[in-house]
PDB file of all heavy atoms in Angstrom:
ATOM      1  N   PHE A   1      -4.856  15.858   8.675  1.00 92.00           N
ATOM      2  CA  PHE A   1      -5.223  15.773  10.077  1.00 92.00           C
ATOM      3  C   PHE A   1      -6.519  16.558  10.349  1.00 92.00           C
ATOM      4  O   PHE A   1      -7.420  16.090  11.049  1.00 92.00           O
ATOM      5  CB  PHE A   1      -4.094  16.297  10.969  1.00 92.00           C
ATOM      6  CG  PHE A   1      -4.326  16.080  12.422  1.00 92.00           C
ATOM      7  CD1 PHE A   1      -4.427  14.809  12.966  1.00 92.00           C
ATOM      8  CD2 PHE A   1      -4.398  17.162  13.284  1.00 92.00           C
ATOM      9  CE1 PHE A   1      -4.627  14.599  14.318  1.00 92.00           C
ATOM     10  CE2 PHE A   1      -4.600  16.974  14.652  1.00 92.00           C
ATOM     11  CZ  PHE A   1      -4.721  15.687  15.162  1.00 92.00           C
ATOM     12  N   HIS A   2      -6.619  17.755   9.746  1.00 91.00           N
ATOM     13  CA  HIS A   2      -7.831  18.554   9.906  1.00 91.00           C
ATOM     14  C   HIS A   2      -9.028  17.881   9.236  1.00 91.00           C
ATOM     15  O   HIS A   2     -10.175  18.066   9.691  1.00 91.00           O
ATOM     16  CB  HIS A   2      -7.628  19.952   9.297  1.00 91.00           C
ATOM     17  CG  HIS A   2      -6.777  20.840  10.145  1.00 91.00           C
ATOM     18  ND1 HIS A   2      -6.241  22.013   9.696  1.00 91.00           N
ATOM     19  CD2 HIS A   2      -6.349  20.708  11.447  1.00 91.00           C
ATOM     20  CE1 HIS A   2      -5.520  22.582  10.658  1.00 91.00           C
ATOM     21  NE2 HIS A   2      -5.589  21.811  11.734  1.00 91.00           N
ATOM     22  N   LEU A   3      -8.781  17.095   8.197  1.00 92.00           N
ATOM     23  CA  LEU A   3      -9.852  16.355   7.554  1.00 92.00           C
ATOM     24  C   LEU A   3     -10.400  15.269   8.460  1.00 92.00           C
ATOM     25  O   LEU A   3     -11.519  14.784   8.265  1.00 92.00           O
ATOM     26  CB  LEU A   3      -9.335  15.756   6.234  1.00 92.00           C
ATOM     27  CG  LEU A   3     -10.330  15.145   5.288  1.00 92.00           C
ATOM     28  CD1 LEU A   3     -11.361  16.173   4.813  1.00 92.00           C
ATOM     29  CD2 LEU A   3      -9.627  14.512   4.089  1.00 92.00           C
ATOM     30  N   GLY A   4      -9.582  14.853   9.452  1.00 92.00           N
ATOM     31  CA  GLY A   4     -10.048  13.876  10.413  1.00 92.00           C
ATOM     32  C   GLY A   4      -9.705  12.438  10.082  1.00 92.00           C
ATOM     33  O   GLY A   4     -10.288  11.521  10.668  1.00 92.00           O
ATOM     34  N   VAL A   5      -8.751  12.218   9.164  1.00 95.00           N
ATOM     35  CA  VAL A   5      -8.437  10.846   8.755  1.00 95.00           C
ATOM     36  C   VAL A   5      -7.148  10.311   9.391  1.00 95.00           C
ATOM     37  O   VAL A   5      -6.865   9.124   9.258  1.00 95.00           O
ATOM     38  CB  VAL A   5      -8.337  10.733   7.216  1.00 95.00           C
ATOM     39  CG1 VAL A   5      -9.673  11.053   6.579  1.00 95.00           C
ATOM     40  CG2 VAL A   5      -7.238  11.649   6.662  1.00 95.00           C
ATOM     41  N   LEU A   6      -6.373  11.160  10.063  1.00 95.00           N
ATOM     42  CA  LEU A   6      -5.134  10.701  10.672  1.00 95.00           C
ATOM     43  C   LEU A   6      -5.342  10.383  12.157  1.00 95.00           C
ATOM     44  O   LEU A   6      -6.102  11.055  12.839  1.00 95.00           O
ATOM     45  CB  LEU A   6      -4.039  11.771  10.554  1.00 95.00           C
ATOM     46  CG  LEU A   6      -3.640  12.210   9.146  1.00 95.00           C
ATOM     47  CD1 LEU A   6      -2.433  13.135   9.214  1.00 95.00           C
ATOM     48  CD2 LEU A   6      -3.367  11.030   8.241  1.00 95.00           C
ATOM     49  N   SER A   7      -4.647   9.355  12.608  1.00 95.00           N
ATOM     50  CA  SER A   7      -4.753   8.975  14.014  1.00 95.00           C
ATOM     51  C   SER A   7      -3.937   9.921  14.878  1.00 95.00           C
ATOM     52  O   SER A   7      -2.841  10.363  14.484  1.00 95.00           O
ATOM     53  CB  SER A   7      -4.254   7.542  14.223  1.00 95.00           C
ATOM     54  OG  SER A   7      -2.871   7.434  13.872  1.00 95.00           O
ATOM     55  N   ALA A   8      -4.451  10.273  16.026  1.00 91.00           N
ATOM     56  CA  ALA A   8      -3.761  11.215  16.930  1.00 91.00           C
ATOM     57  C   ALA A   8      -2.443  10.656  17.466  1.00 91.00           C
ATOM     58  O   ALA A   8      -1.507  11.404  17.701  1.00 91.00           O
ATOM     59  CB  ALA A   8      -4.679  11.584  18.095  1.00 91.00           C
ATOM     60  N   ASP A   9      -2.372   9.318  17.607  1.00 91.00           N
ATOM     61  CA  ASP A   9      -1.136   8.728  18.153  1.00 91.00           C
ATOM     62  C   ASP A   9      -0.164   8.293  17.057  1.00 91.00           C
ATOM     63  O   ASP A   9       0.951   7.849  17.363  1.00 91.00           O
ATOM     64  CB  ASP A   9      -1.458   7.528  19.051  1.00 91.00           C
ATOM     65  CG  ASP A   9      -2.178   6.401  18.319  1.00 91.00           C
ATOM     66  OD1 ASP A   9      -2.363   6.496  17.086  1.00 91.00           O
ATOM     67  OD2 ASP A   9      -2.570   5.419  19.001  1.00 91.00           O
ATOM     68  N   GLY A  10      -0.550   8.470  15.781  1.00 91.00           N
ATOM     69  CA  GLY A  10       0.344   8.157  14.689  1.00 91.00           C
ATOM     70  C   GLY A  10       0.470   6.681  14.354  1.00 91.00           C
ATOM     71  O   GLY A  10       1.386   6.279  13.643  1.00 91.00           O
ATOM     72  N   TYR A  11      -0.454   5.864  14.829  1.00 94.00           N
ATOM     73  CA  TYR A  11      -0.443   4.441  14.507  1.00 94.00           C
ATOM     74  C   TYR A  11      -1.631   4.108  13.630  1.00 94.00           C
ATOM     75  O   TYR A  11      -2.708   4.716  13.755  1.00 94.00           O
ATOM     76  CB  TYR A  11      -0.472   3.588  15.786  1.00 94.00           C
ATOM     77  CG  TYR A  11       0.822   3.619  16.541  1.00 94.00           C
ATOM     78  CD1 TYR A  11       1.077   4.611  17.510  1.00 94.00           C
ATOM     79  CD2 TYR A  11       1.805   2.668  16.309  1.00 94.00           C
ATOM     80  CE1 TYR A  11       2.276   4.646  18.205  1.00 94.00           C
ATOM     81  CE2 TYR A  11       3.016   2.698  17.017  1.00 94.00           C
ATOM     82  CZ  TYR A  11       3.248   3.692  17.946  1.00 94.00           C
ATOM     83  OH  TYR A  11       4.438   3.730  18.619  1.00 94.00           O
ATOM     84  N   CYS A  12      -1.455   3.111  12.770  1.00 95.00           N
ATOM     85  CA  CYS A  12      -2.541   2.689  11.878  1.00 95.00           C
ATOM     86  C   CYS A  12      -3.029   1.312  12.317  1.00 95.00           C
ATOM     87  O   CYS A  12      -2.240   0.365  12.396  1.00 95.00           O
ATOM     88  CB  CYS A  12      -2.023   2.632  10.433  1.00 95.00           C
ATOM     89  SG  CYS A  12      -3.302   2.399   9.206  1.00 95.00           S
ATOM     90  N   LYS A  13      -4.355   1.208  12.604  1.00 95.00           N
ATOM     91  CA  LYS A  13      -4.907  -0.021  13.150  1.00 95.00           C
ATOM     92  C   LYS A  13      -6.105  -0.457  12.309  1.00 95.00           C
ATOM     93  O   LYS A  13      -7.267  -0.246  12.674  1.00 95.00           O
ATOM     94  CB  LYS A  13      -5.315   0.186  14.601  1.00 95.00           C
ATOM     95  CG  LYS A  13      -4.204   0.765  15.492  1.00 95.00           C
ATOM     96  CD  LYS A  13      -4.746   1.332  16.778  1.00 95.00           C
ATOM     97  CE  LYS A  13      -3.648   2.055  17.545  1.00 95.00           C
ATOM     98  NZ  LYS A  13      -4.163   2.775  18.734  1.00 95.00           N
ATOM     99  N   PRO A  14      -5.862  -1.050  11.135  1.00 96.00           N
ATOM    100  CA  PRO A  14      -6.967  -1.475  10.266  1.00 96.00           C
ATOM    101  C   PRO A  14      -7.941  -2.396  10.975  1.00 96.00           C
ATOM    102  O   PRO A  14      -7.560  -3.235  11.798  1.00 96.00           O
ATOM    103  CB  PRO A  14      -6.239  -2.218   9.140  1.00 96.00           C
ATOM    104  CG  PRO A  14      -4.852  -1.657   9.137  1.00 96.00           C
ATOM    105  CD  PRO A  14      -4.553  -1.382  10.568  1.00 96.00           C
ATOM    106  N   PHE A  15      -9.206  -2.216  10.665  1.00 95.00           N
ATOM    107  CA  PHE A  15     -10.314  -3.042  11.159  1.00 95.00           C
ATOM    108  C   PHE A  15     -10.634  -2.770  12.631  1.00 95.00           C
ATOM    109  O   PHE A  15     -11.554  -3.413  13.178  1.00 95.00           O
ATOM    110  CB  PHE A  15     -10.053  -4.534  10.950  1.00 95.00           C
ATOM    111  CG  PHE A  15      -9.609  -4.916   9.591  1.00 95.00           C
ATOM    112  CD1 PHE A  15      -8.324  -5.424   9.362  1.00 95.00           C
ATOM    113  CD2 PHE A  15     -10.444  -4.751   8.495  1.00 95.00           C
ATOM    114  CE1 PHE A  15      -7.898  -5.745   8.085  1.00 95.00           C
ATOM    115  CE2 PHE A  15     -10.022  -5.086   7.223  1.00 95.00           C
ATOM    116  CZ  PHE A  15      -8.754  -5.603   7.010  1.00 95.00           C
ATOM    117  N   GLU A  16      -9.931  -1.904  13.299  1.00 93.00           N
ATOM    118  CA  GLU A  16     -10.249  -1.595  14.695  1.00 93.00           C
ATOM    119  C   GLU A  16     -11.613  -0.898  14.766  1.00 93.00           C
ATOM    120  O   GLU A  16     -11.916  -0.023  13.964  1.00 93.00           O
ATOM    121  CB  GLU A  16      -9.184  -0.699  15.305  1.00 93.00           C
ATOM    122  CG  GLU A  16      -9.390  -0.456  16.792  1.00 93.00           C
ATOM    123  CD  GLU A  16      -8.382   0.545  17.337  1.00 93.00           C
ATOM    124  OE1 GLU A  16      -8.206   1.598  16.717  1.00 93.00           O
ATOM    125  OE2 GLU A  16      -7.811   0.294  18.399  1.00 93.00           O
ATOM    126  N   ALA A  17     -12.415  -1.283  15.734  1.00 91.00           N
ATOM    127  CA  ALA A  17     -13.799  -0.796  15.815  1.00 91.00           C
ATOM    128  C   ALA A  17     -13.871   0.720  15.957  1.00 91.00           C
ATOM    129  O   ALA A  17     -14.776   1.357  15.433  1.00 91.00           O
ATOM    130  CB  ALA A  17     -14.514  -1.475  16.973  1.00 91.00           C
ATOM    131  N   SER A  18     -12.889   1.303  16.682  1.00 91.00           N
ATOM    132  CA  SER A  18     -12.950   2.758  16.921  1.00 91.00           C
ATOM    133  C   SER A  18     -12.556   3.572  15.690  1.00 91.00           C
ATOM    134  O   SER A  18     -12.891   4.760  15.604  1.00 91.00           O
ATOM    135  CB  SER A  18     -12.021   3.125  18.076  1.00 91.00           C
ATOM    136  OG  SER A  18     -10.694   2.754  17.795  1.00 91.00           O
ATOM    137  N   GLY A  19     -11.874   2.972  14.720  1.00 92.00           N
ATOM    138  CA  GLY A  19     -11.514   3.671  13.507  1.00 92.00           C
ATOM    139  C   GLY A  19     -10.792   4.980  13.764  1.00 92.00           C
ATOM    140  O   GLY A  19     -11.229   6.048  13.329  1.00 92.00           O
ATOM    141  N   THR A  20      -9.650   4.920  14.444  1.00 93.00           N
ATOM    142  CA  THR A  20      -8.973   6.125  14.899  1.00 93.00           C
ATOM    143  C   THR A  20      -8.212   6.864  13.814  1.00 93.00           C
ATOM    144  O   THR A  20      -7.719   7.963  14.046  1.00 93.00           O
ATOM    145  CB  THR A  20      -8.013   5.788  16.049  1.00 93.00           C
ATOM    146  OG1 THR A  20      -7.123   4.754  15.622  1.00 93.00           O
ATOM    147  CG2 THR A  20      -8.777   5.333  17.274  1.00 93.00           C
ATOM    148  N   GLY A  21      -8.059   6.270  12.638  1.00 96.00           N
ATOM    149  CA  GLY A  21      -7.345   6.940  11.556  1.00 96.00           C
ATOM    150  C   GLY A  21      -6.017   6.281  11.226  1.00 96.00           C
ATOM    151  O   GLY A  21      -5.606   5.309  11.868  1.00 96.00           O
ATOM    152  N   TYR A  22      -5.336   6.838  10.243  1.00 97.00           N
ATOM    153  CA  TYR A  22      -4.103   6.194   9.769  1.00 97.00           C
ATOM    154  C   TYR A  22      -2.874   7.064   9.940  1.00 97.00           C
ATOM    155  O   TYR A  22      -2.950   8.261  10.269  1.00 97.00           O
ATOM    156  CB  TYR A  22      -4.258   5.771   8.306  1.00 97.00           C
ATOM    157  CG  TYR A  22      -4.431   6.911   7.293  1.00 97.00           C
ATOM    158  CD1 TYR A  22      -3.323   7.624   6.815  1.00 97.00           C
ATOM    159  CD2 TYR A  22      -5.683   7.236   6.784  1.00 97.00           C
ATOM    160  CE1 TYR A  22      -3.468   8.640   5.873  1.00 97.00           C
ATOM    161  CE2 TYR A  22      -5.840   8.238   5.828  1.00 97.00           C
ATOM    162  CZ  TYR A  22      -4.726   8.947   5.385  1.00 97.00           C
ATOM    163  OH  TYR A  22      -4.864   9.933   4.458  1.00 97.00           O
ATOM    164  N   MET A  23      -1.715   6.470   9.714  1.00 96.00           N
ATOM    165  CA  MET A  23      -0.428   7.155   9.678  1.00 96.00           C
ATOM    166  C   MET A  23      -0.037   7.337   8.220  1.00 96.00           C
ATOM    167  O   MET A  23      -0.063   6.381   7.435  1.00 96.00           O
ATOM    168  CB  MET A  23       0.629   6.310  10.399  1.00 96.00           C
ATOM    169  CG  MET A  23       2.048   6.850  10.263  1.00 96.00           C
ATOM    170  SD  MET A  23       3.297   5.718  10.949  1.00 96.00           S
ATOM    171  CE  MET A  23       3.346   4.422   9.688  1.00 96.00           C
ATOM    172  N   ARG A  24       0.312   8.546   7.822  1.00 96.00           N
ATOM    173  CA  ARG A  24       0.766   8.793   6.458  1.00 96.00           C
ATOM    174  C   ARG A  24       2.109   8.101   6.235  1.00 96.00           C
ATOM    175  O   ARG A  24       2.951   8.014   7.125  1.00 96.00           O
ATOM    176  CB  ARG A  24       0.924  10.288   6.168  1.00 96.00           C
ATOM    177  CG  ARG A  24      -0.375  11.050   6.150  1.00 96.00           C
ATOM    178  CD  ARG A  24      -0.193  12.421   5.518  1.00 96.00           C
ATOM    179  NE  ARG A  24      -0.052  12.326   4.068  1.00 96.00           N
ATOM    180  CZ  ARG A  24       0.684  13.151   3.304  1.00 96.00           C
ATOM    181  NH1 ARG A  24       1.362  14.118   3.886  1.00 96.00           N
ATOM    182  NH2 ARG A  24       0.739  12.995   2.004  1.00 96.00           N
ATOM    183  N   SER A  25       2.311   7.631   5.020  1.00 97.00           N
ATOM    184  CA  SER A  25       3.494   6.845   4.741  1.00 97.00           C
ATOM    185  C   SER A  25       4.039   7.132   3.355  1.00 97.00           C
ATOM    186  O   SER A  25       3.267   7.427   2.428  1.00 97.00           O
ATOM    187  CB  SER A  25       3.160   5.358   4.879  1.00 97.00           C
ATOM    188  OG  SER A  25       4.270   4.563   4.553  1.00 97.00           O
ATOM    189  N   GLU A  26       5.341   6.997   3.216  1.00 97.00           N
ATOM    190  CA  GLU A  26       5.991   7.145   1.912  1.00 97.00           C
ATOM    191  C   GLU A  26       6.247   5.777   1.308  1.00 97.00           C
ATOM    192  O   GLU A  26       6.481   4.796   2.018  1.00 97.00           O
ATOM    193  CB  GLU A  26       7.329   7.876   2.087  1.00 97.00           C
ATOM    194  CG  GLU A  26       7.193   9.250   2.680  1.00 97.00           C
ATOM    195  CD  GLU A  26       8.513   9.918   2.947  1.00 97.00           C
ATOM    196  OE1 GLU A  26       9.550   9.220   2.989  1.00 97.00           O
ATOM    197  OE2 GLU A  26       8.535  11.159   3.139  1.00 97.00           O
ATOM    198  N   ALA A  27       6.256   5.721  -0.016  1.00 98.00           N
ATOM    199  CA  ALA A  27       6.605   4.486  -0.698  1.00 98.00           C
ATOM    200  C   ALA A  27       6.820   4.791  -2.174  1.00 98.00           C
ATOM    201  O   ALA A  27       6.207   5.713  -2.735  1.00 98.00           O
ATOM    202  CB  ALA A  27       5.501   3.415  -0.547  1.00 98.00           C
ATOM    203  N   ILE A  28       7.697   4.019  -2.779  1.00 98.00           N
ATOM    204  CA  ILE A  28       7.888   4.017  -4.225  1.00 98.00           C
ATOM    205  C   ILE A  28       7.860   2.559  -4.657  1.00 98.00           C
ATOM    206  O   ILE A  28       8.592   1.727  -4.093  1.00 98.00           O
ATOM    207  CB  ILE A  28       9.260   4.626  -4.653  1.00 98.00           C
ATOM    208  CG1 ILE A  28       9.478   5.992  -4.005  1.00 98.00           C
ATOM    209  CG2 ILE A  28       9.357   4.694  -6.159  1.00 98.00           C
ATOM    210  CD1 ILE A  28       8.639   7.105  -4.561  1.00 98.00           C
ATOM    211  N   ALA A  29       7.033   2.204  -5.621  1.00 98.00           N
ATOM    212  CA  ALA A  29       6.944   0.806  -6.033  1.00 98.00           C
ATOM    213  C   ALA A  29       6.691   0.730  -7.532  1.00 98.00           C
ATOM    214  O   ALA A  29       6.014   1.590  -8.102  1.00 98.00           O
ATOM    215  CB  ALA A  29       5.830   0.082  -5.284  1.00 98.00           C
ATOM    216  N   VAL A  30       7.252  -0.315  -8.161  1.00 98.00           N
ATOM    217  CA  VAL A  30       7.103  -0.510  -9.597  1.00 98.00           C
ATOM    218  C   VAL A  30       6.941  -1.997  -9.887  1.00 98.00           C
ATOM    219  O   VAL A  30       7.648  -2.836  -9.282  1.00 98.00           O
ATOM    220  CB  VAL A  30       8.346   0.011 -10.381  1.00 98.00           C
ATOM    221  CG1 VAL A  30       8.196  -0.266 -11.878  1.00 98.00           C
ATOM    222  CG2 VAL A  30       8.536   1.493 -10.155  1.00 98.00           C
ATOM    223  N   ILE A  31       6.015  -2.342 -10.767  1.00 98.00           N
ATOM    224  CA  ILE A  31       5.898  -3.724 -11.260  1.00 98.00           C
ATOM    225  C   ILE A  31       5.994  -3.729 -12.780  1.00 98.00           C
ATOM    226  O   ILE A  31       5.711  -2.701 -13.423  1.00 98.00           O
ATOM    227  CB  ILE A  31       4.566  -4.406 -10.818  1.00 98.00           C
ATOM    228  CG1 ILE A  31       3.359  -3.631 -11.363  1.00 98.00           C
ATOM    229  CG2 ILE A  31       4.517  -4.551  -9.322  1.00 98.00           C
ATOM    230  CD1 ILE A  31       2.019  -4.337 -11.081  1.00 98.00           C
ATOM    231  N   TYR A  32       6.420  -4.833 -13.310  1.00 98.00           N
ATOM    232  CA  TYR A  32       6.518  -4.995 -14.773  1.00 98.00           C
ATOM    233  C   TYR A  32       5.500  -6.059 -15.203  1.00 98.00           C
ATOM    234  O   TYR A  32       5.498  -7.178 -14.667  1.00 98.00           O
ATOM    235  CB  TYR A  32       7.934  -5.418 -15.189  1.00 98.00           C
ATOM    236  CG  TYR A  32       8.127  -5.522 -16.680  1.00 98.00           C
ATOM    237  CD1 TYR A  32       7.886  -4.423 -17.511  1.00 98.00           C
ATOM    238  CD2 TYR A  32       8.573  -6.696 -17.262  1.00 98.00           C
ATOM    239  CE1 TYR A  32       8.069  -4.512 -18.879  1.00 98.00           C
ATOM    240  CE2 TYR A  32       8.776  -6.802 -18.634  1.00 98.00           C
ATOM    241  CZ  TYR A  32       8.522  -5.707 -19.443  1.00 98.00           C
ATOM    242  OH  TYR A  32       8.718  -5.786 -20.801  1.00 98.00           O
ATOM    243  N   LEU A  33       4.648  -5.689 -16.115  1.00 98.00           N
ATOM    244  CA  LEU A  33       3.621  -6.587 -16.638  1.00 98.00           C
ATOM    245  C   LEU A  33       3.955  -6.988 -18.071  1.00 98.00           C
ATOM    246  O   LEU A  33       4.323  -6.144 -18.877  1.00 98.00           O
ATOM    247  CB  LEU A  33       2.240  -5.912 -16.611  1.00 98.00           C
ATOM    248  CG  LEU A  33       1.735  -5.345 -15.292  1.00 98.00           C
ATOM    249  CD1 LEU A  33       0.356  -4.729 -15.503  1.00 98.00           C
ATOM    250  CD2 LEU A  33       1.679  -6.426 -14.240  1.00 98.00           C
ATOM    251  N   GLN A  34       3.795  -8.254 -18.374  1.00 98.00           N
ATOM    252  CA  GLN A  34       3.965  -8.726 -19.755  1.00 98.00           C
ATOM    253  C   GLN A  34       3.141  -9.992 -19.950  1.00 98.00           C
ATOM    254  O   GLN A  34       2.559 -10.524 -18.999  1.00 98.00           O
ATOM    255  CB  GLN A  34       5.434  -8.973 -20.070  1.00 98.00           C
ATOM    256  CG  GLN A  34       6.119  -9.978 -19.161  1.00 98.00           C
ATOM    257  CD  GLN A  34       7.609 -10.112 -19.448  1.00 98.00           C
ATOM    258  OE1 GLN A  34       8.380 -10.469 -18.613  1.00 98.00           O
ATOM    259  NE2 GLN A  34       8.046  -9.865 -20.676  1.00 98.00           N
ATOM    260  N   LYS A  35       3.063 -10.433 -21.166  1.00 97.00           N
ATOM    261  CA  LYS A  35       2.308 -11.660 -21.454  1.00 97.00           C
ATOM    262  C   LYS A  35       3.130 -12.885 -21.010  1.00 97.00           C
ATOM    263  O   LYS A  35       4.349 -12.880 -21.078  1.00 97.00           O
ATOM    264  CB  LYS A  35       1.989 -11.738 -22.939  1.00 97.00           C
ATOM    265  CG  LYS A  35       1.005 -10.661 -23.370  1.00 97.00           C
ATOM    266  CD  LYS A  35       0.604 -10.806 -24.818  1.00 97.00           C
ATOM    267  CE  LYS A  35      -0.419  -9.729 -25.186  1.00 97.00           C
ATOM    268  NZ  LYS A  35      -0.838  -9.827 -26.612  1.00 97.00           N
ATOM    269  N   ALA A  36       2.428 -13.884 -20.563  1.00 97.00           N
ATOM    270  CA  ALA A  36       3.070 -15.074 -19.995  1.00 97.00           C
ATOM    271  C   ALA A  36       4.064 -15.716 -20.962  1.00 97.00           C
ATOM    272  O   ALA A  36       5.120 -16.186 -20.550  1.00 97.00           O
ATOM    273  CB  ALA A  36       2.009 -16.081 -19.557  1.00 97.00           C
ATOM    274  N   LYS A  37       3.733 -15.696 -22.232  1.00 97.00           N
ATOM    275  CA  LYS A  37       4.611 -16.350 -23.220  1.00 97.00           C
ATOM    276  C   LYS A  37       5.956 -15.645 -23.338  1.00 97.00           C
ATOM    277  O   LYS A  37       6.933 -16.249 -23.808  1.00 97.00           O
ATOM    278  CB  LYS A  37       3.929 -16.386 -24.573  1.00 97.00           C
ATOM    279  CG  LYS A  37       3.650 -15.013 -25.189  1.00 97.00           C
ATOM    280  CD  LYS A  37       2.888 -15.123 -26.483  1.00 97.00           C
ATOM    281  CE  LYS A  37       2.615 -13.738 -27.097  1.00 97.00           C
ATOM    282  NZ  LYS A  37       1.802 -13.856 -28.337  1.00 97.00           N
ATOM    283  N   ASN A  38       6.031 -14.394 -22.912  1.00 97.00           N
ATOM    284  CA  ASN A  38       7.285 -13.656 -22.980  1.00 97.00           C
ATOM    285  C   ASN A  38       8.019 -13.540 -21.657  1.00 97.00           C
ATOM    286  O   ASN A  38       9.119 -13.028 -21.612  1.00 97.00           O
ATOM    287  CB  ASN A  38       7.020 -12.223 -23.493  1.00 97.00           C
ATOM    288  CG  ASN A  38       6.330 -12.228 -24.852  1.00 97.00           C
ATOM    289  OD1 ASN A  38       6.677 -13.034 -25.733  1.00 97.00           O
ATOM    290  ND2 ASN A  38       5.389 -11.311 -25.051  1.00 97.00           N
ATOM    291  N   ALA A  39       7.405 -14.034 -20.590  1.00 98.00           N
ATOM    292  CA  ALA A  39       7.960 -13.844 -19.241  1.00 98.00           C
ATOM    293  C   ALA A  39       8.973 -14.904 -18.876  1.00 98.00           C
ATOM    294  O   ALA A  39       8.758 -16.101 -19.146  1.00 98.00           O
ATOM    295  CB  ALA A  39       6.827 -13.830 -18.227  1.00 98.00           C
ATOM    296  N   LYS A  40      10.070 -14.491 -18.274  1.00 97.00           N
ATOM    297  CA  LYS A  40      11.048 -15.414 -17.734  1.00 97.00           C
ATOM    298  C   LYS A  40      10.740 -15.804 -16.310  1.00 97.00           C
ATOM    299  O   LYS A  40      11.306 -16.764 -15.789  1.00 97.00           O
ATOM    300  CB  LYS A  40      12.450 -14.774 -17.827  1.00 97.00           C
ATOM    301  CG  LYS A  40      12.900 -14.481 -19.240  1.00 97.00           C
ATOM    302  CD  LYS A  40      14.258 -13.795 -19.269  1.00 97.00           C
ATOM    303  CE  LYS A  40      14.686 -13.469 -20.693  1.00 97.00           C
ATOM    304  NZ  LYS A  40      15.991 -12.747 -20.736  1.00 97.00           N
ATOM    305  N   ARG A  41       9.901 -14.988 -15.668  1.00 96.00           N
ATOM    306  CA  ARG A  41       9.488 -15.258 -14.291  1.00 96.00           C
ATOM    307  C   ARG A  41       8.043 -14.834 -14.145  1.00 96.00           C
ATOM    308  O   ARG A  41       7.632 -13.837 -14.716  1.00 96.00           O
ATOM    309  CB  ARG A  41      10.371 -14.482 -13.310  1.00 96.00           C
ATOM    310  CG  ARG A  41       9.786 -14.315 -11.945  1.00 96.00           C
ATOM    311  CD  ARG A  41      10.660 -13.476 -11.054  1.00 96.00           C
ATOM    312  NE  ARG A  41      11.799 -14.247 -10.575  1.00 96.00           N
ATOM    313  CZ  ARG A  41      12.924 -13.721 -10.081  1.00 96.00           C
ATOM    314  NH1 ARG A  41      13.069 -12.410 -10.070  1.00 96.00           N
ATOM    315  NH2 ARG A  41      13.878 -14.492  -9.639  1.00 96.00           N
ATOM    316  N   ILE A  42       7.259 -15.593 -13.374  1.00 96.00           N
ATOM    317  CA  ILE A  42       5.867 -15.231 -13.135  1.00 96.00           C
ATOM    318  C   ILE A  42       5.616 -15.230 -11.638  1.00 96.00           C
ATOM    319  O   ILE A  42       5.651 -16.264 -10.974  1.00 96.00           O
ATOM    320  CB  ILE A  42       4.911 -16.201 -13.846  1.00 96.00           C
ATOM    321  CG1 ILE A  42       5.077 -16.122 -15.365  1.00 96.00           C
ATOM    322  CG2 ILE A  42       3.459 -15.883 -13.465  1.00 96.00           C
ATOM    323  CD1 ILE A  42       4.197 -17.096 -16.142  1.00 96.00           C
ATOM    324  N   TYR A  43       5.371 -14.042 -11.103  1.00 96.00           N
ATOM    325  CA  TYR A  43       5.026 -13.927  -9.699  1.00 96.00           C
ATOM    326  C   TYR A  43       3.526 -14.145  -9.480  1.00 96.00           C
ATOM    327  O   TYR A  43       3.096 -14.729  -8.498  1.00 96.00           O
ATOM    328  CB  TYR A  43       5.374 -12.542  -9.168  1.00 96.00           C
ATOM    329  CG  TYR A  43       6.860 -12.332  -8.925  1.00 96.00           C
ATOM    330  CD1 TYR A  43       7.533 -11.259  -9.507  1.00 96.00           C
ATOM    331  CD2 TYR A  43       7.584 -13.198  -8.101  1.00 96.00           C
ATOM    332  CE1 TYR A  43       8.889 -11.049  -9.281  1.00 96.00           C
ATOM    333  CE2 TYR A  43       8.932 -13.005  -7.870  1.00 96.00           C
ATOM    334  CZ  TYR A  43       9.574 -11.899  -8.453  1.00 96.00           C
ATOM    335  OH  TYR A  43      10.918 -11.705  -8.227  1.00 96.00           O
ATOM    336  N   ALA A  44       2.721 -13.614 -10.413  1.00 96.00           N
ATOM    337  CA  ALA A  44       1.274 -13.720 -10.285  1.00 96.00           C
ATOM    338  C   ALA A  44       0.652 -13.435 -11.650  1.00 96.00           C
ATOM    339  O   ALA A  44       1.264 -12.782 -12.497  1.00 96.00           O
ATOM    340  CB  ALA A  44       0.740 -12.726  -9.250  1.00 96.00           C
ATOM    341  N   THR A  45      -0.567 -13.924 -11.837  1.00 95.00           N
ATOM    342  CA  THR A  45      -1.311 -13.672 -13.071  1.00 95.00           C
ATOM    343  C   THR A  45      -2.426 -12.689 -12.792  1.00 95.00           C
ATOM    344  O   THR A  45      -3.170 -12.818 -11.800  1.00 95.00           O
ATOM    345  CB  THR A  45      -1.911 -14.985 -13.602  1.00 95.00           C
ATOM    346  OG1 THR A  45      -0.842 -15.919 -13.867  1.00 95.00           O
ATOM    347  CG2 THR A  45      -2.698 -14.739 -14.896  1.00 95.00           C
TER     348      THR A  45
END
């Protein structure tokens, strides 16, 4: 917040002209990558 990157109202509004800052967020995410010939499912290449 002191760095000036967080929004005062706690909302994140990407592409907004005023650029008021973002809301900090938690997340945990994992993807599995393998070669297509070994994959049983393909979401994306």
